[in-house]
Amino acid sequence: MRRDSFNSGISRRTLIKAAGASAVVAAAGLPGRLLAADPIKVAAIFTVPVEQQWVSRIHKAANAAKERGDIEYVYSENTANNDYERVMREYCEAGNKLILGEVFGVEDAARAVAKDYPDVAFLMGSSFKPDDAVPNFAVFDNYIQDASYLSGLVAGAMTKSKNIGMVGGYPIPEVNRLMNAFMAGVKETAPDTKFQVAFIGSWFDPPKAKETAFAQIDGGADLLYAERFGVSDAAKERNVLAIGNVIDTQADYPNTVVASALWHFEPTLDKAIAEVKAGTFKAADYGVYSFMKHGGCSLAPLGTFENKVPEEIRARIAEKEKAIKDGSFVVEINDAEPKSS
């Protein structure tokens, strides 16, 4: 199902004319300056449903900005890669000043569109770095390795079999770095833990993720790293524990999900909105705004497991979180594909 109800508001030409000559950064060919009080038109293009973990955080932040009056917001979900370029162009023609999305499978096409619309800002989830040749195309990613590491400390304390199953979507940097950070945390509290690592080749296939998790439980895992939807369902059915990723699902699995590494997209989006309004948006890597020190990630409250996680582990988590925030401890960013052990 696609949602692409384009607003029929004022045209780009009218907007520029109304804002005046000072509203355009003509020399740089970058998005023009808007009046600070004016909401900007923002569109997002997603290749999966907005319920999917990663995309849901972008959608949540955009809706929060909309509720504040900072932006107008429309979006498309379940957009196929071979249709992505067309939808991008439609949103640009509709007068949107900031386009959000994830272009992991359509990098070249997305950057080509950005070149054709130099007065539109693009903030896209990407495995690649910004390119000065496309000055209006910025990239981001969920660098939540800080929170993933902390969730690993919890997991190492909670596994009894010292056998943990991990189910991911694809072995790409965005997934690998979180798994590696999680495994590093586990090894601090349970250094003899073994890992079963599997990738399902999809961003949204809960049944396949569930079946993969069942196989890992059959292989001795008593705790699962739920990078994909479906894993926590398997854990619940087999009465083992799970660690969540990106969103907090403990309310749905109160006796299963011990902890979750949360991604907060708000710092990333708010920075982009401010840059667009100031007329200073440029090709940049927004990944840093997902770091814990910028408020881009956190460990979810332990909730129903607050008194089940050992006190010394909770104290260590608090100590490490403080060190991460003040910069005295840095979680390694390891994009290498994790392997079973």
Side-chain angles (χ1 to χ4, degrees):
M1 172 181 175
R2 281 194 52 225
R3 300 184 185 180
D4 47 7
S5 53
F6 304 120
N7 292 333
S8 59
I10 75 175
S11 69
R12 177 166 61 89
R13 179 177 296 175
T14 305
L15 178 61
I16 293 174
K17 195 177 294 183
S22 64
V24 183
V25 189
L30 298 178
R33 183 186 303 272
L34 299 174
L35 296 176
D38 292 345
I40 63 173
K41 292 181 67 174
V42 176
I45 310 166
F46 305 124
T47 62
V48 293
V50 291
E51 291 81 10
Q52 190 257 15
Q53 299 108 299
W54 198 85
V55 160
S56 73
R57 307 308 285 181
I58 302 171
H59 188 59
K60 177 178 180 289
N63 277 315
K66 176 183 177 181
E67 290 171 8
R68 291 196 307 265
D70 289 342
I71 67 172
E72 298 174 18
Y73 174 56
V74 294
Y75 68 94
S76 296
E77 59 183 344
N78 291 322
T79 303
N81 282 347
N82 59 12
D83 201 30
Y84 207 93
E85 180 179 352
R86 179 191 65 79
V87 178
M88 286 181 73
R89 292 184 183 279
E90 286 185 0
Y91 277 136
C92 291
E93 292 293 334
N96 289 284
K97 305 306 296 180
L98 174 62
I99 308 293
L100 306 173
E102 13 94 36
V103 295
F104 299 106
V106 288
E107 286 280 352
D108 292 341
R111 291 174 191 253
V113 172
K115 286 184 178 180
D116 289 343
Y117 293 91
D119 61 336
V120 178
F122 296 83
L123 180 63
M124 295 293 186
S126 171
S127 298
F128 296 91
K129 295 299 181 182
D131 182 354
D132 289 339
V134 193
N136 57 328
F137 191 97
V139 300
F140 70 87
D141 206 347
N142 63 328
Y143 282 87
I144 63 170
Q145 65 281 343
D146 299 331
S148 296
Y149 162 80
L150 296 180
S151 73
L153 295 178
V154 176
M158 298 302 288
T159 178
K160 295 179 180 178
S161 68
K162 300 298 185 286
N163 186 326
I164 292 178
M166 305 181 69
V167 180
Y170 294 93
I172 63 172
E174 291 69 27
V175 176
N176 297 345
R177 73 175 64 108
L178 307 187
M179 285 188 162
N180 284 319
F182 170 81
M183 294 165 81
V186 170
K187 289 174 182 176
E188 276 199 28
T189 50
D192 54 341
T193 298
K194 303 297 182 184
F195 298 93
Q196 301 178 61
V197 181
F199 299 93
I200 63 171
S202 172
W203 291 130
F204 194 75
D205 191 342
K208 188 172 184 179
K210 185 176 181 181
E211 289 303 316
T212 303
F214 279 148
Q216 293 179 340
I217 296 169
D218 291 340
D222 70 344
L223 186 146
L224 301 173
Y225 177 77
E227 199 269 331
R228 293 292 100 194
F229 273 154
V231 176
S232 293
D233 292 306
K236 180 180 179 181
E237 287 188 27
R238 294 289 184 88
N239 198 31
V240 302
L241 301 177
I243 297 292
N245 180 60
V246 175
I247 62 175
D248 185 2
T249 58
Q250 192 183 77
D252 297 319
Y253 307 93
N255 299 310
T256 302
V257 175
V258 183
S260 297
L262 306 184
W263 183 30
H264 308 295
F265 190 68
E266 287 79 1
T268 303
L269 180 57
D270 292 349
K271 173 66 173 176
I273 291 171
E275 296 290 347
V276 171
K277 287 193 172 187
T280 54
F281 188 91
K282 62 182 181 180
D285 188 346
Y286 278 63
V288 66
Y289 298 107
S290 290
F291 286 23
M292 187 171 285
K293 65 183 179 181
H294 289 290
C297 67
S298 67
L299 184 69
L302 296 175
T304 52
F305 283 86
E306 181 69 33
N307 296 321
K308 298 177 183 178
V309 175
E311 183 179 353
E312 63 269 22
I313 298 301
R314 285 184 274 136
R316 186 185 299 189
I317 290 169
E319 177 186 341
K320 290 289 189 178
E321 183 175 349
K322 180 178 181 297
I324 290 170
K325 288 179 177 178
D326 67 25
S328 59
F329 178 75
V330 177
V331 177
E332 180 186 9
I333 297 175
N334 181 359
D335 290 346
E337 181 178 342
K339 303 294 185 180
S340 298
S341 57

